[in-house]
Amino acid sequence: MSYMAPELTVVVPTLNEAENIAELLARLHRTLSGLNWEVIFVDDDSTDATRANIAAAAQTDPRIRLLHRIGRRGLSSACIEGMLASTAPVLAVMDADLQHDETLLTPMFEAIKAQRADLVVGSRYIQGGDIGEWSAKRASISRIATFMGRKLVSDLTDPMSGFFMIRRDAFNLAVRKLSAIGFKILLDIVASANRPLKILELPFSFGQRVAGESKLDANVSGQFLLLLLDKLVGRFIPVRFLMFSLIGALGVAVHLAVLWFALNVLKLPFAFAQGAATLVAIVNNFALNNTFTFRDRRLRGAALLRGFVSFAAICSLGAAANVGVASFLFGSAAASWWLAGIAGGAMSAVWNYAVTSLFTWRAR
Ligand code: GDD
Ligand code: MN
């Protein structure tokens, strides 16, 4: 059998999609029969038979590849790594659950080959497209998010689409600046490219999920806001740090609330009350950072306990340094009490963030 290098790589992120793999592959074979294509599944350690089904199909089909990621999560980052694992000049991204109309892949590819576009997007919001059978709630959430996304990238009618094809050289314009946060890889790419891309939109009707469950949860909206924020201010302040500081500020409020309660309601002696308030604030901040700030490196089980101990130790050092710096500035008389206070707080925020992201929530 002679080998033909793929002209098109279809990247398919998967998380527990076992029952959809065979049907997706059958459809890709049918619709792409005139092309040299390959598919790269990027699987974030699914707990069902997803990888087994992919591997079984790959035994008889060299077009099928698998990237298995362990200890990492995220639709956007999965798509990026899949695209980086390919050498094809043209890349497509589509879901595994058959909600994206695969017959669009051929006209997408033709538009790119004919130089009519750098990027072709499957859109639900142009003439001929639609969002399919969505609940009123999901439809309106999507509409709000789409509106916000369009403020950022005005040349897309459906910036929230997860179905698109792009030339590799266009992808390369953006790849080093991607935020890689959350679900919205298309928005990320278009907002990160340093020149306007030639974009074509093709309508499609968002299908019904065939098997399995949606991975969309409340956190996805939070991640979307983070992505927007990172695209707007990320050049100046990393959003992760912003989030960490925000949670830190919330911790101060929690501390004061518990202190008040312990003193006035429980009538505890001050030292006890202050100790309890400190403990509650540390637990609160650890839990929030673990769920939101470091969601992609979230600790569970035994690692959670170890993480908490290191977080508490690092933040205690941060508090000591805070007091040191603030006292020094206050003593040097160059700074007023509040300026010294803010400087101490800011310095411990930077310390806590930098060191906990190195040790407590280490990137794997
Ligand atoms: N590797 C990986 N890691 N894959 C993931 C992850 C993850 O953390 N989360 C979801 N996926 C995979 C799913 O297995 C599926 O193949 C695809 O990503 C989309 O996930 P769904 O849970 O089906 O998302 P959806 O249908 O709600 O959202 C789709 O519609 C949006 C438009 O509203 C996606 O296509 C979005 O990209 C799209 O923007
Ligand atoms: Mn889906």
Side-chain angles (χ1 to χ4, degrees):
M1 191 170 73
S2 72
Y3 175 72
M4 296 283 275
E7 327 168 67
L8 169 68
T9 298
V10 182
V11 173
V12 180
T14 55
L15 192 59
N16 297 333
E17 301 287 359
E19 303 313 314
N20 292 319
I21 301 299
E23 176 62 19
L24 176 69
L25 287 171
R27 292 191 192 184
L28 288 178
H29 269 282
R30 208 177 309 137
T31 198
L32 294 174
S33 58
L35 285 174
N36 282 310
W37 58 280
E38 66 173 359
V39 55
I40 301 183
F41 290 96
V42 186
D43 184 71
D44 281 353
D45 218 15
S46 290
T47 48
D48 68 359
T50 302
R51 283 186 310 286
N53 293 354
I54 294 167
Q59 286 298 307
T60 56
D61 186 349
R63 297 179 189 283
I64 302 172
R65 294 171 56 197
L66 168 64
L67 190 61
H68 178 184
R69 307 200 305 169
I70 298 176
R72 273 175 297 163
R73 271 291 293 278
L75 182 49
S76 276
S77 71
C79 296
I80 295 164
E81 285 186 36
M83 293 192 265
L84 290 174
S86 129
T87 56
V90 183
L91 306 160
V93 170
M94 77 186 282
D95 291 353
D97 57 4
L98 310 166
Q99 292 191 280
H100 291 158
D101 177 1
E102 77 287 346
T103 61
L104 223 57
L105 290 168
T106 316
M108 282 176 163
F109 188 77
E110 280 162 5
I112 285 184
K113 276 285 124 168
Q115 312 270 340
R116 280 189 286 125
D118 300 318
L119 169 66
V120 190
V121 178
S123 170
R124 298 160 294 175
Y125 295 116
I126 51 172
Q127 185 73 45
D130 71 82
I131 60 172
E133 286 160 40
W134 265 4
S135 70
K137 181 164 166 246
R138 169 118 201 229
S140 63
I141 291 176
S142 173
R143 220 170 295 120
I144 295 167
T146 301
F147 174 80
M148 290 165 72
R150 278 186 199 162
K151 292 279 159 220
L152 194 68
V153 288
S154 52
D155 37 6
L156 288 173
T157 63
D158 193 356
M160 317 304 282
S161 176
F163 184 29
F164 62 91
M165 193 180 287
I166 188 168
R167 302 156 58 99
R168 175 175 300 282
D169 45 16
F171 174 66
N172 283 345
L173 291 175
V175 68
R176 288 188 170 73
K177 291 194 228 108
L178 295 172
S179 306
I181 301 171
F183 254 50
K184 299 303 158 192
I185 178 63
L186 173 67
L187 187 69
D188 201 355
I189 290 175
V190 176
S192 300
N194 50 11
R195 71 162 166 80
L197 301 177
K198 208 201 275 181
I199 300 175
L200 180 73
E201 293 186 303
L202 298 178
F204 83 106
S205 167
F206 199 68
Q208 285 285 88
R209 179 176 257 283
V210 170
E213 289 164 15
S214 172
K215 279 81 202 176
L216 202 83
D217 57 18
N219 225 314
V220 168
S221 319
Q223 301 268 306
F224 174 62
L225 295 178
L226 271 190
L227 171 64
L228 291 185
L229 201 62
D230 191 48
K231 288 269 103 54
L232 292 170
V233 303
R235 251 169 303 153
F236 314 108
I237 324 169
V239 283
R240 223 199 264 269
F241 176 64
L242 216 60
M243 185 102 168
F244 190 87
S245 306
L246 231 66
I247 290 173
L250 189 71
V252 174
V254 167
H255 181 112
L256 291 177
V258 175
L259 184 59
W260 180 89
F261 185 80
L263 285 175
N264 296 302
V265 181
L266 302 179
K267 311 277 184 206
L268 291 179
F270 185 83
F272 275 106
Q274 172 72 351
T278 306
L279 190 66
V280 172
I282 292 180
V283 170
N284 169 74
N285 285 21
F286 175 73
L288 289 180
N289 281 313
N290 193 47
T291 317
F292 297 106
T293 318
F294 296 100
R295 176 175 160 81
D296 56 332
R297 308 178 195 168
R298 197 152 168 185
L299 305 170
R300 290 167 209 272
L304 195 66
L305 198 66
R306 217 179 322 118
F308 176 71
V309 172
S310 84
F311 178 81
I314 291 163
C315 294
S316 303
L317 274 175
N322 171 350
V323 173
V325 166
S327 308
F328 171 76
L329 285 178
F330 185 68
S332 75
S336 51
W337 64 270
W338 54 270
L339 203 61
I342 289 177
M347 112 105 235
S348 70
V350 172
W351 158 272
N352 290 348
Y353 174 71
V355 182
T356 57
S357 63
L358 267 179
F359 293 103
T360 309
W361 290 283
R362 198 178 6 214
R364 285 205 249 174

